[in-house]
Amino acid sequence: MKPAAAPVPTDPAGLAAWSAVAGRLTGSTMGDVLRWGAGDAINFAGGFPDERLFPVEAVRTATDTVLTRHGNKVLQYGSAAGEPWVREAVTEHLLRRGVTTDAGSILLTSGGQQAIDLVTRLYVDPGDTVVTTSPTYFAALELFEAAGARVSTVRLDERGIDPEELDRALRQPRAKLLYLVTDHQNPMGVNIPSGQRPLIAEMLRRHACHLIEDDVFADIRFVRPAAPIQPFAPERVSYVTSFSKALSPGMRAGVLVAPKDVLQKAASLRENVDVCPNTLTQSVVGELLGSGVFHRLLPPLCAAYLERRDAMLDALTRHLEGRAHWTEASGGFFTWVTLGTPTDPERLLQSAVREGVVFLSGSRFRRGGGAELPELRLTFARLEPREIEEGIGRLGQCVKALMEKDDGARVAEAPVRGRK
């Protein structure tokens, strides 16, 4: 007698196995950015540092040093928080930035994104509210949504945020987490003014809310930034930074500074995810910091990115003046462009791709609207000035052609007056 045949499943393959988190995943903007970055187009989309500026020889020398000095230990599993001597070196670096910390308040992470993810998972249950600015970093938005959070936004512009609007947002039920990119904001390149920072700290206490302060561009600066929010309310802030922008994103060297209870839970959580930071990478970072090499690398690096920022501003003036306005980044990698007429940025992107140029539409950085005119995020970091000039020239021609086409269509659709 033959065994009975197994029942044929009637549901789509895998559907019954999906978790709520998996069901909320529909792709990511980061995937688009990485894919475009592999092509030959003039790429204003990806927020990548320029690999031609990576300190290869300094990293090689530091790697040799730590392998000689620490031997096999740097190839073994390590502490979930990071090796104590590396955290001491990171502490000295962060104290220069104005962060209130010590080695016991630091967790070394696999990039800044992991730090944001750890804190989000410690605070956010499905249905909770995360308050942030509009616009803000797309990967943080997608992370919050994957966690099942409701994202509530307050407006951000060159003047910062409206404290009263932020206060109202933090009064919402289940508003447990605030996320801010304090300096050289991704995507706008602007800073939260120094005068607003103690006010934000006071709101955190009043509303019993926790802040993720994202400061991953702290080292790429063209002017001296104000002190972070963290020193004004260290018990209410998880401060996130990274060495990805100044050293190498491939090293995945991030930092979380947080209250002791947050740090302990974050360390326990990360032990279940990736056990510990990359012990070799963190040791190389510690050596670069402790030897002073890292801080000697920063001035020429910032000068190179400043030259590119200025090339971007000059090119925008030549090719888009009168058709758009834009921000002047005080650091970081980004300029935020707002077009002067209601032109569909996705149509503009399709036109630009045909001309060998890519960018990110501002809608990727917003939730719930908030933009009256079409917006673009342009990055200048990975391009030489001549490439920036060429790319903005092509983009300017696309903008001009699309605006003229839209203007013509509006004229054609307008009712004819004076006839009976």
Side-chain angles (χ1 to χ4, degrees), residues 12 17 19 26 28 35 67 81 130 133 141 172 202 214 254 280 283 289 301-302 304 337 367 394:
S19 70
T26 58
S28 73
R35 185 171 63 255
L67 287 170
V130 176
T133 58
L141 287 171
Q172 298 174 90
E202 191 274 328
D214 187 343
L280 178 59
S283 298
L289 290 170
L301 185 66
C302 291
V337 177
R367 293 296 182 270
R394 296 184 199 176

Side-chain angles (χ1 to χ4, degrees), residues 78-309:
S79 163
E83 292 304 300
W85 73 271
V86 179
R87 285 185 280 126
E88 290 285 357
V90 172
T91 296
E92 293 300 315
H93 173 64
L94 294 178
L95 290 173
R96 294 185 181 203
R97 175 70 181 91
V99 178
T100 298
T101 190
D102 56 52
S105 300
I106 289 174
L107 180 80
L108 303 181
T109 62
S110 297
Q113 187 72 10
Q114 186 186 52
I116 297 168
D117 177 59
L118 289 171
V119 178
T120 300
R121 289 202 278 160
L122 291 178
Y123 278 93
V124 175
D125 290 313
D128 286 341
T129 294
V130 176
V131 177
T132 187
T133 58
S134 182
T136 195
Y137 177 41
F138 63 76
L141 287 171
E142 292 170 2
L143 188 158
F144 302 144
E145 290 167 340
R150 172 181 172 268
V151 176
S152 177
T153 62
V154 296
R155 290 167 295 174
L156 175 74
D157 58 26
E158 293 91 333
R159 297 166 296 179
I161 57 179
D162 182 341
E164 292 185 359
E165 186 180 357
L166 177 59
D167 191 62
R168 287 193 297 271
L170 294 178
R171 282 194 223 123
Q172 298 174 90
R174 300 180 68 178
K176 296 166 65 176
L177 200 61
L178 172 64
Y179 171 78
L180 296 175
V181 186
T182 320
D183 287 299
H184 330 311
Q185 194 248 12
N186 181 2
M188 293 191 77
V190 302
N191 302 333
I192 292 178
S194 58
Q196 293 182 356
R197 301 183 186 205
L199 298 177
I200 293 170
E202 191 274 328
M203 289 182 210
L204 295 174
R205 294 191 177 100
R206 187 188 325 143
H207 298 293
C209 187
H210 194 81
L211 167 66
I212 299 177
E213 182 173 15
D214 187 343
D215 201 16
V216 297
F217 287 98
D219 294 318
I220 308 300
R221 59 178 186 259
F222 312 140
V223 297
R224 186 172 180 83
I229 297 171
Q230 189 265 356
F232 296 105
E235 79 285 2
R236 287 282 175 190
V237 179
S238 288
Y239 174 89
V240 175
T241 192
S242 170
F243 296 99
S244 294
K245 313 306 178 187
L247 283 179
S248 152
M251 293 177 73
R252 309 311 303 136
V255 179
L256 172 63
V257 179
K260 293 292 198 302
D261 57 343
V262 175
L263 210 69
Q264 289 167 358
K265 290 182 180 296
S268 296
L269 186 57
R270 81 94 47 88
E271 285 172 336
N272 294 327
V273 176
D274 65 350
V275 182
C276 67
N278 183 314
T279 51
L280 178 59
T281 291
Q282 65 165 296
S283 298
V284 170
V285 172
E287 172 62 24
L288 290 169
L289 290 170
S291 65
V293 170
F294 179 78
H295 297 101
R296 291 194 291 273
L297 292 170
L298 289 180
L301 185 66
C302 291
Y305 286 127
L306 175 60
E307 179 186 23
R308 295 169 187 206
R309 193 244 10 216

